[in-house]
Amino acid sequence: MSAGTAQHARRAPAKGRRSRPGSTVPAGRRSGKGARRGTWTPWLYLAPALVVLGGLLVYPIYQLGLISFLEYTQAQVSGGEATTFQGFANYAELFGDSEFWNVAVATLLFAAVCVVSTLAVGCALAVLLTRVRAIPRLALMLAALGAWATPAITGSTVWVFLFDPDFGPVNKVLVWLGLSGFEDYSWTYDRYSAFALVLFEVVWCSFPFVMVTVYAGIRAIPTEVLEAAALDGASTWRIWRTIMAPMLRPILVVVTIQSIIWDFKVFTQIYVMTNGGGIAGQNMVLNVYAYQKAFASSQYSLGSAIGVVMLLILLAVTLVYLRLLRRQGEEL
Amino acid sequence: MSHSRVSLRIRRPWRFAAEVTALIVAAVVAFPLYWMVLSAFKPEGEIQSTEPRPWTGSPSLDSFRRVFEQQDFGRYFLNSLFVAGVVVVASALIAFLAATAVARFKFRFRTTLLIMFLVAQMVPIEALTIPMFFLMRDLGETVPGVGLNTLGSLILPHIAFSLPFAIWMLRGFVKAVPEALEEAAYLDGASRSRFLWQILFPLVFPGLVATSVFSFISAWNDFLFAKSFIISATENSTLPMALLVFFKDEGNDWGGIMAASTVMTIPVLIFFVLVQRRLVSGLGGAVKD
């Protein structure tokens, strides 16, 4: 992110479809407000942000890439040995390791299930909110805000406790409902039930964002339009499909992408709930895997290579996102 | 946001069913938090009982007492608060300036920068733990107060990580301030910096509050950096680390864990309740083009 030289900060050519002749337009709806030629001013305002982001985001990313091409273990960290350039050797080692592929596939599947569940729950409840009166709506909103505000680490500890084989209430309730198989059942022992447990927590703490955002979007749809459609005898399904869905699409894109990004990076929940990645690493996801490689076994290069793989996957997601935004004609 | 109610005709029994469903879901969603607070107040004998009850006859503060005595918990709390506070203030100010630049000026590379800010939100910060670790180690040798084992090593990365989203979100708020206002201010002879701090800043303040929630949460919840960067100086530990102490091989101290979790969750809850209106409208503003 090099701050370009500001001398050339000319007025950019008017982009977009609405270049109006003259600028006697009343303020407010001109595309890209404040088209002044403060040559230096914007860069002055941007300077602190660019310095911070350059030093603490861009540079570490560069370092991450660099380390992934080097021989970098405890010996190099302590300065005992010189670092050597390895080319793609670390990546070759990583991709040749079946464990890496297992973890990568598990991460993608787990993230996918989390995203779909979160969106389904969030959207369903957003619609539900529009159908109820003030008191139930407030109750659900407050409960959701509580779940949202809960720090990841405390949320994780509480959910583990709820499902604790000895002291947790969940198994007791399940047994009481007649599912006697849950008597003293350890959720973290089996790979899939451990992932399910983490999934519950992730959905619990991330559906509120989806619910609140989608609900705000539904509320922003002009009532007249919906009423007119209803008067014309359109079915609820048709109203949804032809009016609400298109209007909500931008919001749905945002919450979907945000969910993908969050759930792909889940760290704290896995780490805390499955005690660092589960029994024999059965609940490992890429993020935890990279951490364990780097800080538990001092293989910094391999850890960094995993980090680079994660970055590239997320970058691909971001590019898709940008294309979707562009297609919606969103002006940056 | 217009406050229109979507009033599709719903028949009464359906609405009743919807309201019952909403209340049940609210109860389920709130239950973990209720259980956390309840368990924190249960006396020792009750919490390690294999027949957990959803109430307690004799609430006690033993677990809280143990947490604050056994651990230097008050100090960790203040550390967490300090880290989150500095991150919130610093990123709000830096993001405000940057958002003003991209929302109210036209200049070369503006779109490129905006895309950069968008892409920067996607970076998995956990993946950067490794280079960040070395960066903090090296910085500590030259700059006092930011090396490993200092609170600065938690503050700096989180300022950087919360900036892109903050800029993106604030941009909408800055855009919403009418340009006529700015022109009027200049006609009245206000200087640019005066307009920025005395007119624009107060107007954008609600947006700053909404943005702060996210910065606050990311810093307050930080677990990985605290775990990786605060290696030996326990006096600079933060809450998450203090919480993990109660997980023991010989059996977890659930009372302590729940009390510590409660102490850690309450400030965020209060913060959220205070700003929830602005948060919701802020999200609406950030999502709408």
Side-chain angles (χ1 to χ4, degrees), chain B residues 99-127:
Chain B
T100 305
V102 291
R104 301 189 86 83
F105 289 87
K106 284 215 155 178
F107 53 93
R108 210 168 170 187
F109 306 118
R110 192 178 69 109
T111 312
T112 319
L113 268 181
L114 275 171
I115 291 176
M116 292 268 191
F117 293 146
L118 191 68
V119 171
Q121 289 175 42
M122 317 302 175
V123 174
I125 61 176
E126 296 82 1

Side-chain angles (χ1 to χ4, degrees), chain B residues 20-34:
Chain B
V20 171
T21 311
L23 289 172
I24 292 173
V25 172
V28 171
V29 171
F31 184 75
L33 288 175
Y34 168 73

Side-chain angles (χ1 to χ4, degrees), chain A residues 90-103:
Chain A
N90 293 314
Y91 290 93
E93 184 179 344
L94 195 64
F95 297 150
D97 185 354
S98 64
E99 191 188 19
F100 166 77
W101 293 106
N102 285 336
V103 173

Side-chain angles (χ1 to χ4, degrees), chain A residues 33-34 172 219 223 261 318, chain B residues 3-4 50 104 122 175:
Chain A
K33 296 180 182 180
K172 301 284 182 293
R219 287 275 298 261
T223 336
I261 290 157
T318 313
Chain B
H3 282 274
S4 61
T50 50
R104 301 189 86 83
M122 317 302 175
K175 262 187 173 175

Side-chain angles (χ1 to χ4, degrees), chain B residues 166-206:
Chain B
I167 294 171
W168 198 254
M169 193 157 165
L170 277 175
R171 191 175 134 251
F173 285 94
V174 177
K175 262 187 173 175
V177 175
E179 206 162 322
L181 207 71
E182 190 164 356
E183 279 155 21
Y186 293 147
L187 283 175
D188 290 346
S191 65
R192 187 159 264 163
S193 68
R194 192 166 165 184
F195 167 77
L196 189 72
W197 294 113
Q198 298 196 342
I199 301 170
L200 192 57
F201 187 79
L203 284 170
V204 177
F205 195 76

